[in-house]
Amino acid sequence: MKLLLAPDKFKGTLTADQVAEIEKTAIASVLPDAEIRCLPLADGGEGTVAALTRALNGSFKTVPVRDPLGRTIPATYGIAGKTAILEMSAASGMSLLKREELNPMRTSTYGTGELILSALKDGAERIILGIGGSATVDGGAGMAEALGYRFFDEDGKPVSGLCGETTGRIARIDDSAVDRNLFQCEILIASDVTNPLLGEQGAAAVFAPQKGAAAEMIPVLEHNLQTFSAVLIRQGMIERADLPGDGAAGGLGMGLRAFCNARSESGARLAMRITGFEFLLSGVDYVITGEGCTDSQTEDGKLCSEIAKICRKHQINCILLSGAVKGDTAKLNADFHLAIAATPESTPFDQIQQNAARYLSDAARRLARDL
């Protein structure tokens, strides 16, 4: 029997690498003759750098950057030839902040711009940037400030220290101090979010509450993004600000298009293409994928859903082994050969964190016995 283990991370508990190794050890204990290959993956969020850098036989580099609140921290990215693999979450992610520090009025993507600058100095001709897990709603203004863009208000006074609260003050943008190498570099946005910038499904309305925004902050952030995007359109930096994905990472999707000429791709499909996922399916009997929690969002371009589509194309059974499974049972049965939850239902999250490896190992052994 030949198995391919291609999990995403189990957010808040296990990395994709840890998930794959736990499953491999557990399955091998039941099926010692099985041929098991591990391919940890990601779709633009945390784990993207590790998964893609290893797949490309690259190396890792750690540099100092500013976190969402301006404090200096180390951030790691990958280098594989002339390709750099970055995660905005390494510099501007929610995981870098304590719960009481979450506030998208105050947070900035400045550190993400510093990561891009470092990759350019390394000679990168292509940058793959995963933008999941952000703590920001600044439209990418902070990133642009780090890249050398300068901002001015209606009176011609400089606007600096950009964050969600201050983007509404911007009336003019100057790019004369930007390193021109930025525009010679191909930048690919790895994202699984298709939300527009503004409106009921936009960056402020949908994602700001998750990042610590109080109800009264939402209309302010919405207004600031609208004002900021209008300036970008007026100056000819973008033609429109309502493309799918513009609202990703608090508007960073739009900002990357405007300031870096970046283009967006499905993070899941990009990861599978770069790692050669389809080529690894030859002779495989089962693909086992999974994530921390499978729910209604999974089918909207998340990694597990995209893996299931490719498996159906090749007529290979795809098994979902996630921490929790909350999706439509009928839909899951149509997408996956089996859909299994590793964690007992209604288990408190602190208990899951303490026992995640054991829960997953036990579930993988049960699955192996069924196979």
Side-chain angles (χ1 to χ4, degrees), residues 76-100:
T76 299
Y77 63 94
I79 305 169
K82 294 294 184 179
T83 297
I85 304 99
L86 281 57
E87 291 173 14
M88 76 88 63
S89 61
S92 311
M94 281 198 297
S95 62
L96 301 172
L97 303 180
K98 298 175 182 177
R99 184 183 298 274
E100 61 269 22

Side-chain angles (χ1 to χ4, degrees), residues 297-316:
Q297 295 183 27
T298 296
E299 61 189 83
D300 294 329
K302 295 282 189 179
L303 178 68
C304 297
S305 175
E306 294 300 318
I307 285 177
K309 290 177 184 176
I310 298 298
C311 288
R312 287 198 299 273
K313 171 184 169 184
H314 291 272
Q315 298 183 323
I316 294 173

Side-chain angles (χ1 to χ4, degrees), residues 52-63:
L52 299 192
T53 302
R54 290 189 181 120
L56 294 171
N57 296 314
S59 58
F60 298 93
K61 181 174 182 175
T62 301
V63 296

Side-chain angles (χ1 to χ4, degrees), residues 100-260:
E100 61 269 22
E101 293 177 325
L102 293 172
N103 182 345
M105 296 286 282
R106 304 291 185 186
T107 51
S108 170
T109 53
Y110 193 95
T112 297
E114 292 180 304
L115 279 179
I116 294 172
L117 278 180
S118 183
L120 292 175
K121 289 176 182 176
D122 289 335
E125 296 178 359
R126 179 175 70 158
I127 293 174
I128 298 168
L129 177 58
I131 62 172
S134 77
T136 56
V137 186
D138 72 352
M143 170 202 70
E145 187 177 6
L147 292 173
Y149 285 90
R150 293 181 293 181
F151 300 86
F152 303 89
D153 65 16
E154 289 184 350
D155 297 323
K157 296 179 180 179
V159 183
S160 60
L162 288 164
C163 56
E165 188 175 37
T166 56
T167 52
R169 294 171 50 198
I170 296 168
R172 184 172 66 86
I173 304 168
D174 177 69
D175 69 354
S176 59
V178 178
D179 183 348
R180 309 326 281 183
N181 287 326
L182 175 66
F183 307 112
Q184 304 303 315
C185 182
E186 179 188 24
I187 298 183
L188 302 176
I189 308 167
S191 174
D192 60 3
V193 172
T194 58
N195 297 67
L197 181 71
L198 304 171
E200 293 181 359
Q201 296 301 313
V206 175
F207 300 115
Q210 302 171 13
K211 304 173 187 188
E216 62 270 18
M217 297 178 186
I218 307 301
V220 178
L221 291 166
E222 177 82 1
H223 173 266
N224 289 352
L225 288 174
Q226 186 173 30
T227 300
F228 182 40
S229 62
V231 175
L232 294 172
I233 293 170
R234 186 171 67 244
Q235 293 197 199
M237 300 179 72
I238 52 175
E239 292 184 359
R240 49 193 289 192
D242 59 353
L243 297 184
D246 275 353
L252 181 61
M254 175 200 66
L256 284 164
R257 287 202 301 116
F259 296 112
C260 304

